[in-house]
Amino acid sequence: MATHDMPLSRRQALAALTGAVLLPLAGPAAASVRHERHFLFGSPVDVMLRHAPEEAVQAPLDRVMRGLQHIHAQWNAWKPGELGRINQAFREGRSARVTPALLAMIRSAARLERASAGFFNPGIGGVVQAWGFHDDVMRPGDRPAAAALAGWREAAPSLAQIETRGDALASRNPRLQLDFGAYAKGVAIDRALDEFAARGQGEALVNLGGNLGAMGTAGWQIGIRDPFGEGLVASLATRGREAVVTSGSYERFRVLDGERCTHILDPSSAAPAQGLVSVTVLHRCAALADAAATALLVAGPRRWREVAQRMGVTQVLAIGPDGRGMASGALAPRLQFASPSWRGRIATV
Ligand code: ADP
Ligand code: MG
């Protein structure tokens, strides 16, 4: 278990992370912070605890890491685990047992699918697989056959098609395959912060590969990464308990028939989302922010505001492929732009 009491250097903070980064701490603020880094979900997991004496933190830290590992192992559609077994049962028209924790996640995801008007659809596993985004490695290749995508669109999988029978789940739609790639990290961040709060560690930050949740009275200074290269678009200080979650079409993509295809898919076309390269959502609830960031990226430049409103999200930064962006009125005054160029390219809407 890696423990560092040193502040992160700016280069370390920016390396290997997408979405948001924790900015380097300076002076007394740095000395009182304990930092742990692990690797999970294929990316770094950073936990920072402020004013946390060694003897008080080990037990909550171990519990949080075990919780994150459980989510990673059991709720990943593409690894053998609870979610994989449920997907297999759906394909075969059988019912499958579900744990109360996964059932709670499925129910909250179903509500968010509805609220998002279907732009966020965690029943999209079949399309994710058709495009080859279930693989750890993003190899070049060919686009999936149009007929396969049309078949999926016709079957129109949705979490509304799940039936609960006691402690078991079933679905009459064999094309429904759950994939919580757009949601589980948010759920994991909320659970980690809940765990720290319940154990008296109220000054904490959890960063899962650029999606972060923070809490505490002092706030944490974080940066929103430039989707086109190194560096930042802007920085801001978190307020109380708050998550900052980014969906970006730049971080995971495949080159198919010579064209760059993002891993974020539009359920209405069963094809990669177009029109925005990154959406960052700030919200008290990391799970909601995660679902919303994905939904808004899919909704695109013309519809993201309507979907944000439907989902109860007010703080949004959306950036398009031309390097121009929009910040919602509730977020814009909080942003400290990293350059005059970014300030000039982000409109308040
Ligand atoms: P990140 O990969 O950075 O966490 P997202 O939160 O947007 O980004 O999640 C993208 C993942 O969610 C994809 O890899 C896929 O597994 C799944 N997914 C893709 N499109 C959708 C969608 N429209 N609704 C729900 N899940 C999606
Ligand atoms: Mg998401």
Side-chain angles (χ1 to χ4, degrees):
M1 201 174 269
T3 304
H4 313 274
D5 294 321
M6 301 270 286
L8 290 173
S9 77
R10 186 172 182 83
R11 199 179 48 75
Q12 276 175 318
L14 293 174
L17 297 175
T18 56
V21 293
L22 175 69
L23 296 179
L25 304 159
S32 66
V33 170
R34 179 184 163 125
H35 173 211
E36 297 238 355
R37 169 167 281 196
H38 302 257
F39 282 85
L40 255 190
F41 305 100
S43 46
V45 173
D46 288 287
V47 177
M48 317 283 292
L49 295 170
R50 196 183 269 143
H51 309 306
E54 183 80 33
E55 59 284 4
V57 297
Q58 206 52 56
L61 263 175
D62 290 347
R63 275 184 71 93
V64 162
M65 286 316 301
R66 275 200 303 276
L68 294 177
Q69 269 149 4
H70 178 84
I71 291 179
H72 181 56
Q74 296 298 319
W75 297 356
N76 182 327
W78 315 111
K79 304 254 182 311
E82 188 182 6
L83 192 59
R85 284 194 297 279
I86 290 172
N87 278 339
Q88 190 180 351
F90 286 175
R91 283 196 301 276
E92 297 170 358
R94 291 186 288 107
S95 64
R97 293 273 289 274
V98 62
T99 56
L102 180 55
L103 182 59
M105 178 162 88
I106 291 172
R107 287 195 166 135
S108 59
R111 280 194 295 275
L112 288 168
E113 180 194 328
R114 233 181 2 258
S116 79
F119 286 107
F120 166 70
N121 181 349
I124 202 165
V127 185
V128 172
Q129 193 167 25
W131 285 89
F133 294 123
H134 59 301
D135 242 329
D136 287 337
V137 188
M138 298 286 94
R139 294 184 186 79
D142 302 324
R143 295 168 74 93
L149 302 180
W152 188 88
R153 285 197 303 268
E154 218 158 286
S158 158
L159 268 57
Q161 297 150 353
I162 297 176
E163 290 148 37
T164 318
R165 300 177 194 145
D167 62 354
L169 296 180
S171 175
R172 260 170 294 176
N173 188 348
R175 303 291 291 263
L176 176 64
Q177 294 285 281
L178 303 175
D179 172 355
F180 290 109
Y183 189 55
K185 280 189 216 141
V187 172
I189 290 169
D190 285 333
R191 283 171 47 136
L193 292 184
D194 286 346
E195 181 72 39
F196 283 132
R199 286 161 184 266
Q201 300 302 323
E203 300 278 333
L205 181 141
V206 178
N207 186 349
L208 299 189
N211 300 303
L212 54 84
M215 62 185 177
T217 50
W220 299 82
Q221 195 68 28
I222 64 126
I224 299 171
R225 225 197 70 164
D226 182 339
F228 303 101
E230 299 252 317
L232 302 176
V233 173
S235 59
L236 61 90
T238 59
R239 291 179 182 162
R241 182 162 169 171
E242 192 164 53
V244 184
V245 179
T246 299
S247 270
S249 60
Y250 56 97
E251 41 186 286
R252 231 172 116 75
F253 58 85
R254 292 183 69 200
V255 177
L256 302 175
D257 297 335
E259 206 188 316
R260 222 168 121 147
C261 298
T262 175
H263 71 306
I264 301 173
L265 299 156
D266 182 343
S268 67
S269 62
Q274 284 175 336
L276 289 174
V277 294
S278 109
V279 172
T280 300
V281 173
L282 275 76
H283 197 275
R284 184 184 156 77
C285 173
L288 171 58
D290 198 354
T294 304
L296 270 52
L297 190 118
V298 178
R302 277 184 301 279
R303 297 197 63 190
W304 70 262
R305 272 169 287 184
E306 163 203 336
V307 178
Q309 197 171 21
R310 288 181 59 109
M311 297 184 85
V313 160
T314 58
Q315 303 195 59
V316 180
L317 174 68
I319 299 176
D322 59 355
R324 299 193 160 272
M326 292 169 270
S328 63
L331 179 62
R334 298 181 60 186
L335 296 175
Q336 288 174 296
F337 288 102
S339 67
S341 158
W342 272 117
R343 185 183 307 115
R345 283 182 281 146
I346 303 288
T348 303
V349 295

